[in-house]
């Protein structure tokens, strides 16, 4: 690691320790922070506007920190330290904002915190889809079942690269390690296939929600899993019939099963057709990155 990167990582380690972040979480943070440092610099007009400094909303103040003092330490750190990429409805970068502010319903309803996100759909060689149940400590949508991994590219150079969706792919690789313990060697960045983008808004409860421009990434690969209990409560590979049964239970309210709103939107609008392409090995035929589906 370059000497210039060592000091920021040391400061992050100190801050993480003060917030009660365990050694395993810090190890993931250190690896993800050092990944991608040799990648090409930001290109394109939109990325240049972001690097020059777009609109930046105010940070969450001390009052917000006090109000959420009971929040899980790991989730609290992520909420206040992670900076999401703000975009307009055409996916142009217009600034950045804390994850905390980006998920407050009052700010979502004010229309100022649409941010870039990604959803990964990872299939094994038997063409089963890996699902996860979000941990109970998640601030938004705890304990719901969802696709393999759902998160945000952050406002950092390696995750702002727009050419071939490299920034989003880098972010997906980082979070799959962080949440599911899948080492980066098993997830080559160039093997993620971005199939499309969708824009949606969904409340989680009275305080929290989502307003995202979501990149939908697919990959077929056998991997080793080591789920992080701070992020994930359970994981399951499912075939189509098993997924249909999960959907039935969610619709009927059986066994407390619920699904994330973004996963349900993908299931209802795209997934089964794309699954056909997974099984035929023709995913590239399904790619449509020129359309932003407003759902």
């Amino acid at each position: 690691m370059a000497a210039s990167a060592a000091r920021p990582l040391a400061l992050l380690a100190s801050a993480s320790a003060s917030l009660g972040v365990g050694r395993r979480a810090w190890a993931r943070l250190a690896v993800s922070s050092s990944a991608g440092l040799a990648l090409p610099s930001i290109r394109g007009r939109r990325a240049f506007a972001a690097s020059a400094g777009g609109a930046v909303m105010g940070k969450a103040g001390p009052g917000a920190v006090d109000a959420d003092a009971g929040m899980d330490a790991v989730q609290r750190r992520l909420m206040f330290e992670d900076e999401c990429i703000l975009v307009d409805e055409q996916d142009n970068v217009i600034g950045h904002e804390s994850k905390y502010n980006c998920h407050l319903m009052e700010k979502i309803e004010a229309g100022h915190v649409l941010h870039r996100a990604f959803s990964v759909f990872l299939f094994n060689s038997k063409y089963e889809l890996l699902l996860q149940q979000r941990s109970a400590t998640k601030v938004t949508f705890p304990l719901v079942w969802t696709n393999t991994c759902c998160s945000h590219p952050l406002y950092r150079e390696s995750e702002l690269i727009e050419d071939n969706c490299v920034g989003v792919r880098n972010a997906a690789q980082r979070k799959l390690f962080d949440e599911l313990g899948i080492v980066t060697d098993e997830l080559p960045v160039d093997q993620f296939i971005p199939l499309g983008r969708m824009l949606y808004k969904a409340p989680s409860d009275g305080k929290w929600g989502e307003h995202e421009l979501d990149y939908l990434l697919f990959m077929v690969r056998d991997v080793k899993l080591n789920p992080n209990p701070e992020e994930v409560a359970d994981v399951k590979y499912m075939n189509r019939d098993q997924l249909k049964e999960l959907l039935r239970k969610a619709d009927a309210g059986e066994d407390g099963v619920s699904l994330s709103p973004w996963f349900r939107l993908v299931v209802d609008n795209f997934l089964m057709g794309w699954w056909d392409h997974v099984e035929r090995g023709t995913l590239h035929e399904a790619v449509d990155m020129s359309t932003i589906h407003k759902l």
Side-chain angles (χ1 to χ4, degrees):
M1 182 183 298
S4 60
R7 177 172 171 78
L9 282 177
L11 292 173
L12 280 170
S14 175
S16 299
S18 69
L19 286 169
V21 178
R23 285 178 294 176
R24 180 180 174 186
W26 164 243
R28 286 191 298 274
L29 177 63
V31 171
S32 62
S33 297
S34 62
L37 291 176
L39 288 170
S41 58
I42 304 171
R43 298 173 187 163
R45 184 177 60 186
R46 287 181 286 174
F48 175 77
S51 65
V56 182
M57 296 174 63
K59 301 286 185 182
V65 176
D66 293 342
D68 295 291
M71 192 183 294
D72 172 78
V74 173
Q75 298 302 326
R76 185 165 177 262
R77 172 180 61 80
L78 295 174
M79 277 295 209
F80 286 100
E81 291 185 5
D82 283 359
E83 291 283 317
C84 295
I85 301 168
L86 298 183
V87 294
D88 62 20
E89 291 193 356
Q90 289 71 49
D91 200 19
N92 299 303
V93 175
I94 59 173
H96 57 97
E97 182 53 279
S98 71
K99 184 178 175 182
Y100 184 97
N101 281 338
C102 283
H103 293 85
L104 284 172
M105 277 307 300
E106 63 180 281
K107 293 188 179 293
I108 291 171
E109 295 299 349
H112 299 311
V113 289
L114 175 62
H115 55 280
R116 195 172 281 170
F118 63 83
S119 292
V120 175
F121 293 75
L122 179 63
F123 294 79
N124 62 19
S125 56
K126 295 189 289 185
Y127 306 127
E128 297 169 325
L129 174 61
L130 178 61
L131 302 187
Q132 68 155 279
Q133 184 183 32
R134 292 161 64 85
S135 77
T137 62
K138 285 284 194 179
V139 175
T140 58
F141 303 100
L143 294 176
V144 306
W145 283 93
T146 191
N147 49 286
T148 312
C149 181
C150 331
S151 191
H152 317 90
L154 300 181
Y155 194 81
R156 57 176 63 163
E157 184 174 22
S158 64
E159 297 183 12
L160 280 161
I161 302 169
E162 298 196 353
D163 290 354
N164 297 316
C165 304
V166 169
V168 174
R169 295 182 196 205
N170 285 338
Q173 186 189 64
R174 169 178 59 82
K175 285 302 292 183
L176 282 160
F177 175 67
D178 187 51
E179 293 190 0
L180 295 169
I182 306 173
V183 298
T184 56
D185 289 348
E186 293 189 342
L187 296 169
V189 168
D190 62 0
Q191 296 299 303
F192 289 103
I193 302 175
L195 290 188
R197 293 175 291 176
M198 69 176 187
L199 192 160
Y200 77 95
K201 181 191 294 185
S204 175
D205 56 24
K207 181 174 182 177
W208 306 104
E210 294 283 5
H211 192 201
E212 297 184 329
L213 202 154
D214 198 5
Y215 284 64
L216 308 175
L217 307 177
F218 275 52
M219 182 185 286
V220 181
R221 201 168 181 91
D222 291 323
V223 298
K224 283 185 177 181
L225 300 175
N226 183 21
N228 173 8
E230 295 162 352
E231 297 280 353
V232 178
D234 198 3
V235 293
K236 290 181 182 178
Y237 278 102
M238 290 192 178
N239 60 31
R240 294 189 198 225
D241 289 339
Q242 290 167 328
L243 177 58
K244 288 175 182 176
E245 175 61 12
L246 186 73
L247 296 174
R248 186 196 66 77
K249 286 185 175 182
D251 289 343
E254 288 184 18
D255 302 332
V257 171
S258 59
L259 306 177
S260 73
W262 59 88
F263 179 49
R264 190 61 194 249
L265 285 171
V266 175
V267 169
D268 290 345
N269 290 278
F270 311 112
L271 182 59
M272 295 308 172
W274 287 346
W275 208 320
D276 291 339
H277 285 284
V278 169
E279 293 175 347
R280 293 198 301 262
T282 57
L283 271 174
H284 287 284
E285 295 179 8
V287 172
D288 176 12
M289 293 303 293
S290 62
T291 304
I292 297 174
H293 300 276
K294 296 182 179 180
L295 302 176

